Amino acid sequence: MNDSGGTVSPQNVRTAADLVESMRQLRKQSGLSYRELEKRAAARGDVLARSSIADVLSGKRLPRAELLTAFVLACGDDRVEPWLHALDRAGAQETSTDASPEPPAPGRKIRAWHVLLMSAVIVMALVAVIRSTLSGNDTVDGPTTSTGAVRPSLPTGWIRLRPITAPHLCLTDGRVRDGRHTPLVAVQRPCNRVAPQLTRLEPVGGDLYRIQWHHPDHGVGCLKALSEGPGVGLLEPWDACAESSHFHVEPSGEPAGNTYVLRVEGQGCVGIAGSDTTEGVEAVVSRCLGKGGQVFIIEPLP
């Protein structure tokens, strides 16, 4: 949807697919990452969450008018009105298309879901067999301590981070409960509701690791312990992993051998705020205590 000069033309949009493709091209033309768009929008007083951008650009849904406006302006395009007209056309076309097909027969969606589920199970099983064949195990020895002793083994590949105070919950993305910080941050949620996001530890050297999140829509983000602003102390996924935090992964001293403390040099230790066991509570970096909500179980993804 470009004009002869190479500029994205919202006037050519007719369908929802046209609109999404034009928005993708506009972002590509701007050269900005999702995080950079979010920051530029925030500087204007607009809210443009990376997760919302990802949902729209992956075709999951059409944007709301205010989101489209914030997105277009953040991309450096001041032609807001043509984009809103394009949204109206795309929405009208989608509504008329949705109303025409015959409703699916009862059970059709369920059977399709079962097929997808079984396919996913088979793929995961094959991956596990291949990994087992190639590596022989799912853990690697950690670095040695100052006394020369080998630290407990850390799992390789996809992992779960579970606070020992609420082991049915896992560290994943979510929103700050009081709204003081708009972007996604690390919170604790039921482990069976973390997918499709996956977590892994990326070795940096010694006992230092980056904590990576992989999401099919949002891409790869590495956790950054914020040291200033309204989100100070929170853990935010950054697109630029080179600028993210390095975490010392240290044995907790708890009887269980797979429990660890995550320490950020000069800032403190990661823990669940107030050692709260409630779903949705944020992870925060504060003074190291090495107990309670600052102790995490690190284990391979089941």
Side-chain angles (χ1 to χ4, degrees), residues 201-212 241 244-247:
L201 295 176
E202 179 193 11
V204 178
D207 67 347
L208 286 173
Y209 294 82
R210 290 190 183 97
I211 300 177
Q212 287 186 347
C241 283
S244 66
S245 296
H246 293 174
F247 297 85

Side-chain angles (χ1 to χ4, degrees), residues 53-114:
I53 302 173
D55 284 349
V56 171
L57 297 189
S58 64
K60 286 186 176 180
R61 59 183 175 85
L62 285 175
R64 301 186 309 276
E66 57 269 26
L67 187 148
L68 179 60
T69 299
F71 175 84
V72 168
L73 292 174
C75 286
D77 190 342
D78 58 2
R79 301 170 300 160
V80 173
E81 189 172 350
W83 281 100
L84 293 178
H85 288 321
L87 175 61
D88 289 340
R89 291 193 299 274
Q93 185 275 340
E94 187 176 61
T95 300
S96 62
T97 301
D98 289 344
S100 57
E102 180 182 350
R108 185 181 303 168
K109 185 176 181 181
I110 295 176
R111 288 196 295 273
W113 168 246
H114 280 190

Side-chain angles (χ1 to χ4, degrees), residues 2 20 51 76 97 101 133 135 156 159 172 177 193 250 276 282-283:
N2 292 357
V20 170
S51 58
T97 301
T133 302
S135 64
T156 61
I159 64 165
T172 186
R177 292 167 297 167
R193 286 165 43 198
E250 303 170 342
D276 198 320
E282 304 87 4

